[in-house]
Amino acid sequence: MQIRPLTFALPLDSLLLGIATMLGALPRLVLLIALAAGPPLRPVQLLALLVLIAWPEPARVVRAEMLRVRVQPFIEAAWASGLGPGRIWWHHALPAACQPLRTLAPLSLAGLIRLETALAFLGIGQASNAVGWGTLLATVRQDPSAWWVALAPGVALLATLLALQKVAASK
C-alpha cells in the first residue's frame, strides 16, 4: 500500500480576486489614511503602502485579459506546436494580457500621485519637513490670503496629472 502525501488545493485565482475585491470596496484615501497614521513613514515605506493599495485594479484587468487571451487562436497554435505550458504562459499569453497595462499605468500613476499629495496636504504619513506638492499646497493654510503660494505647486500638479492622462489616451 502506497501512502500519498496529504495535499490541499489552493484556489489562488479565487483567493486573489477576493482580496482584490475587498481592497477595491474600501475608499483608497480612507484606507491610506488608516494605514499611514502613526509615526512618519520613510519614502520606501510610503511607496510600498501605495503599491499595496494600487495593485487590485491592474490585477483585475490582467486577469480579465488573460481569460480572453487563453482562448485565442495563437495560444491554441502554440499548444499544437508542442510548446510547454510555462513557455506559452511567459512568452505568448502574459505579454498579450499585459497590453492594457500600457494604458492603465499612467492613469494609475496619476491616481497615486493624487493620493500622495492628499496625504502630504493633510500632514499624514510623512515627516513634517518632507518636501512635496501636498506640503507646498498646505502652506496656504497658514495664510489663506497668500493664494499665490499655492499657484506654482498647484499648476505643476495639474500639468503632471494632465500629461499622464494624455499619455494614457495616446496609447
Side-chain angles (χ1 to χ4, degrees):
M1 181 170 148
Q2 183 181 9
I3 298 176
R4 293 185 185 184
L6 185 60
T7 60
F8 296 100
L10 182 64
L12 192 59
D13 182 53
S14 299
L15 181 67
L16 288 176
L17 193 59
I19 293 171
T21 303
M22 184 180 67
L23 282 175
L26 299 170
R28 283 185 177 178
L29 184 59
V30 172
L31 182 61
L32 193 59
I33 288 172
L35 293 174
L41 301 173
R42 295 189 306 246
V44 173
Q45 292 172 325
L46 182 62
L47 180 65
L49 192 58
L50 288 170
V51 167
L52 174 73
I53 288 176
W55 73 266
E57 185 175 307
R60 273 194 225 120
V61 169
V62 170
R63 180 187 178 275
E65 194 65 18
M66 185 63 85
L67 292 175
R68 186 190 68 79
V69 164
R70 72 179 184 180
V71 296
Q72 295 294 316
F74 71 93
I75 299 294
E76 292 176 16
W79 279 110
S81 68
L83 293 177
R87 184 167 174 91
I88 292 171
W89 196 78
W90 279 107
H91 295 284
H92 298 285
L94 194 59
C98 288
Q99 288 297 321
L101 291 182
R102 294 177 61 199
T103 302
L104 185 64
L107 296 175
S108 294
L109 182 60
L112 293 178
I113 289 172
R114 285 192 315 261
L115 283 174
E116 189 277 330
T117 302
L119 276 183
F121 180 79
L122 295 172
I124 298 172
Q126 297 177 355
S128 60
N129 60 356
V131 178
W133 286 328
T135 53
L136 292 173
L137 289 170
T139 58
V140 163
R141 288 187 296 192
Q142 296 169 356
D143 185 12
S145 64
W147 57 268
W148 58 87
V149 175
L151 189 61
V155 168
L157 178 63
L158 179 65
T160 301
L161 297 179
L162 290 175
L164 285 169
Q165 288 182 352
K166 182 71 173 171
V167 167
S170 68
K171 298 279 178 178

